[in-house]
Amino acid sequence: MTRFRLGTRGSPLALTQARMVRAALCTVHGWAEDDIEIVIIKTTGDMVQDRALAEIGGKALWTKELDRALLAGEIDCAVHSMKDVETIRPPAIAIAAMLPRADVRDRLIGAESLDALREGAVVGTSSPRRTAQVQRLRPDIRIVLLRGNVDTRLAKVVSGEIDATLLAAAGLDRLGRRDVGAAVPIDVMLPAPAQGAVGIEALAGSAAAARVTAIGDAATIACVGAERALLAALGADCHSPMAALAVIEGGVMILRGALFSSDGRDHVAASATGTADGPADFAAALAGELLARAPDAVRHHFGR
């Protein structure tokens, strides 16, 4: 067979996730590892590290080069961390599958808990969501911009340049660093929409999309789909401090959402339920409720 080409960013985490996809495809289709080529695509998000994503183009900085390679036929599929994928995608590109979701929580690096950080501690992050939730819980904490791969961020804590940072538990686990950091409970910090999910995109209707669909996890696709539907209904973008999580319990999907002011002083939270195997229409209703109840300092971050 012609080698199946998986496009990915070149970071250690992105390559690990591409290898996970390769292993899943080999298992389902009986392919050998050599039947699948991992193609590294350099993205703008990887090259620009000194500014927040929201200032230089948002989530498209992680996807546009992979989209171009996919549309040009240079790769058959693209592997993404789903939380980095824009809500509205090009019509020619389909999210063909998602791997089973991993731990959705954040991990705090540098202390056992937010409460354990010293007065006036410096926390590094580029996430509006993390910034707002940290400052809501600890207004004394000072936030500084921090981007880069996992090793870069960990080194800033080790050197004492910052007191702490927050990283996705799923990424640390996938890199074999399960003992790094302290998991922050969901009830303390709600995660980003789609956190912990790996998605695979292909050209809509293509043979590659059909092959990839076989490795998809239905529960992950449903939950992440609901969270992305909430994002779309809110008109949220990478500037928007918001969090969301959908879970399935007893065949019922529970979708939680929270919106924040940039400093976390104002916020609104709510939840909605719906069927786990149907369209996530209830996400739009939840968005409406959140926006109706949101203070002005929160609402202006969203596209309404």
Side-chain angles (χ1 to χ4, degrees), residues 74-85:
E74 297 170 8
I75 56 176
D76 297 297
C77 292
V79 181
H80 298 287
S81 292
M82 282 305 302
K83 73 173 184 177
D84 294 334
V85 177

Side-chain angles (χ1 to χ4, degrees), residues 22 84 95 98 119 150 203 223 241 253 292-293:
R22 179 175 64 185
D84 294 334
I95 300 171
M98 296 182 205
E119 183 78 15
V150 169
L203 295 181
C223 289
M253 184 181 292
R293 291 172 44 204

Side-chain angles (χ1 to χ4, degrees), residues 278-298:
D281 297 337
F282 58 95
L286 177 58
E289 179 185 350
L290 287 165
L291 290 170
R293 291 172 44 204
D296 288 343
V298 171

Side-chain angles (χ1 to χ4, degrees), residues 174-234:
R174 289 172 184 145
L175 289 170
R177 298 180 177 185
R178 295 180 180 274
D179 58 342
V180 173
V184 183
I186 294 297
D187 289 339
V188 175
M189 287 188 68
L190 200 62
Q195 186 155 308
V198 174
I200 309 97
E201 292 191 321
L203 295 181
S206 65
R211 291 189 179 104
V212 168
T213 299
I215 66 172
D217 180 74
T220 299
I221 292 166
C223 289
V224 171
E227 294 162 19
R228 287 172 60 81
L230 178 61
L231 275 172
L234 287 167

Side-chain angles (χ1 to χ4, degrees), residues 25-104:
L25 287 169
C26 288
T27 298
V28 167
H29 296 298
W31 296 345
E33 275 195 7
D34 286 347
D35 292 331
I36 301 175
E37 178 184 4
I38 293 177
V39 180
I40 297 174
I41 307 291
K42 192 75 170 178
T43 70
T44 305
D46 293 308
M47 293 182 279
V48 180
Q49 295 289 333
D50 60 345
R51 285 174 285 169
L53 290 182
E55 296 178 5
I56 53 174
K59 291 182 177 181
L61 297 174
W62 300 127
T63 58
K64 66 180 181 180
E65 285 88 359
L66 284 158
D67 290 350
R68 183 205 58 76
L70 195 55
L71 292 167
E74 297 170 8
I75 56 176
D76 297 297
C77 292
V79 181
H80 298 287
S81 292
M82 282 305 302
K83 73 173 184 177
D84 294 334
V85 177
E86 312 99 290
T87 309
I88 299 173
R89 301 295 289 129
I93 295 176
I95 300 171
M98 296 182 205
L99 298 184
R101 197 173 198 173
D103 192 339
V104 301

